Amino acid sequence: MKLFARLKDGLSKTRNQISEIVEHDTKITEEFYESLEDALIAADVGADITMEILDKLRSEVELEGITGCAEAYETLKHLLSLDMAIQKEPDEFPPKPWTTLVIGVNGVGKTTTIGKLAHEYRQRGSRVLLSAADTFRAGAIEQLQLWAERAECEIITQGEGADAASVVYDSMEAAKKRGADVMLIDTAGRLHNKGELMKELGKIVRVLKKSNPWTPNEVFLVVDATTGQNAIKQAEVFNELIEITGFIITKLDGTSKGGIALSLTRTFNIPVKKIGVGEGLHDLQDFDPKSYIDAMFGDFSV
Ligand SMILES: Nc1nc2c(ncn2[C@@H]2O[C@H](COP(=O)(O)OP(=O)(O)OP(=O)(O)O)[C@@H](O)[C@H]2O)c(=O)[nH]1
Ligand SMILES: [Mg+2]
């Protein structure tokens, strides 16, 4: 929870306003609903979804005969976390390596997240191989190499400017030969409206499937929490090209806006798998809807 401190701080104004009302457990008024609306919008939940959720809350309040703000607030939080609790487990026993493709626009934290994921798998004793398929940006390969050293795992590279799909092919061959349990593929950051680079992703997937039809087992779209509602557009375009299996939301340590998690899961019915809360090897957490909502909107029940 400590890592959520910034997220909490950022929302403190609206939280204070709400906690005041909730602590006094006053009767539910229009003003109370307005405060909730402010808080949700401030947290970047998005206007449409905010309205939907508040409508749902109003019905629930009526249905359950809830009269006090405190109970209504807990009900809201429950509704929010239910919305984010999407269970989509991938196939159970696919052949090795378990292959994860990491995609997203420039600078969102793809490479850093791969380093953190590699570390997590290593801690569990898996043999991990990184595939340096960002051959586009200068320095990208060296950056991933550094993460491979930190996480103590293997890496397959070609030179800058090499064909990304060919790096992925090499990596898959190496992973199979060496018996790697997990393969994590770093890709170049691409604007979702840049045709050529988007095509390259399609090619990477074709190469993977040829070599192992089960793959990619996971496709993670990395989203920067500070981006705001533009993340929805990004997800839309990437998801049209490759089926995203999970979101990873980064930079939650530097923003007061965590609501994008809610917007994304509701819009696409795809789960958030992990959250990034810092730049270090250990700054990746599993996404737990309830503690996430508590961190964002406060846990006044204790
Ligand atoms: N505060 C914070 N910074 C992060 C987090 N994740 C990544 N960063 C920082 O964001 C910057 C970009 O991270 P990269 O991992 O290089 O992002 P990328 O998506 O691989 O970037 P490109 O390959 O250039 O598209 C770096 O300075 C990271 O340290 C996070 O969870 N919190
Ligand atoms: Mg990168």
Side-chain angles (χ1 to χ4, degrees), residues 265-280:
T265 48
R266 269 192 73 112
T267 309
F268 298 96
N269 195 34
I270 295 170
V272 174
K273 287 292 179 79
K274 301 272 178 189
I275 55 175
V277 291
E279 302 186 83

Side-chain angles (χ1 to χ4, degrees), residues 40-53:
L40 290 167
I41 298 278
D44 219 352
V45 170
D48 292 350
I49 293 175
T50 296
M51 293 310 157
E52 269 176 50
I53 287 169

Side-chain angles (χ1 to χ4, degrees), residues 116-301:
K116 295 171 182 175
L117 279 171
H119 174 67
E120 238 187 57
Y121 279 117
R122 293 288 296 129
Q123 294 293 97
R124 282 189 248 149
S126 300
R127 183 162 183 174
V128 179
L129 185 141
L130 307 186
S131 175
D134 179 358
T135 53
F136 185 73
R137 184 172 62 75
I141 298 167
E142 290 75 10
Q143 189 192 355
L144 193 69
Q145 265 164 341
L146 214 67
W147 280 109
E149 278 168 34
R150 284 183 197 138
E152 298 178 7
C153 65
E154 297 159 60
I155 180 168
I156 297 292
T157 66
Q158 285 182 19
E160 198 181 308
D163 177 32
S166 146
V167 178
V168 170
Y169 178 82
D170 276 4
S171 307
M172 183 57 103
E173 290 304 297
K176 281 179 176 172
K177 206 169 356 172
R178 300 179 192 180
D181 302 298
V182 175
M183 176 162 108
L184 303 170
I185 305 169
D186 189 26
T187 62
R190 59 203 79 216
L191 284 174
H192 41 295
N193 55 9
K194 282 269 157 58
E196 278 312 304
L197 272 170
M198 287 305 271
K199 259 191 224 154
E200 184 189 84
L201 276 186
K203 193 170 161 196
I204 288 174
V205 172
R206 282 196 299 279
V207 164
L208 278 175
K209 288 213 178 299
K210 224 171 177 177
S211 189
N212 178 349
W214 295 79
T215 61
N217 305 92
E218 297 265 26
V219 177
F220 287 157
L221 181 76
V222 180
V223 169
D224 177 339
T226 63
T227 313
Q229 293 292 310
N230 182 256
I232 301 291
K233 186 73 199 160
Q234 294 168 15
E236 203 176 280
V237 180
F238 277 102
N239 200 38
E240 258 167 38
L241 192 77
I242 314 177
E243 197 185 328
I244 297 167
T245 61
F247 298 115
I248 294 184
I249 305 194
T250 58
K251 311 193 191 183
L252 277 165
D253 50 311
T255 178
S256 60
K257 294 176 188 283
I260 195 63
L262 200 77
S263 303
L264 284 169
T265 48
R266 269 192 73 112
T267 309
F268 298 96
N269 195 34
I270 295 170
V272 174
K273 287 292 179 79
K274 301 272 178 189
I275 55 175
V277 291
E279 302 186 83
L281 202 58
H282 304 278
D283 296 329
L284 191 72
Q285 297 184 347
D286 285 336
F287 177 75
D288 171 52
K290 186 171 179 314
S291 48
Y292 193 84
I293 293 294
D294 280 345
M296 269 175 72
F297 297 109
D299 188 1
F300 303 122
S301 59

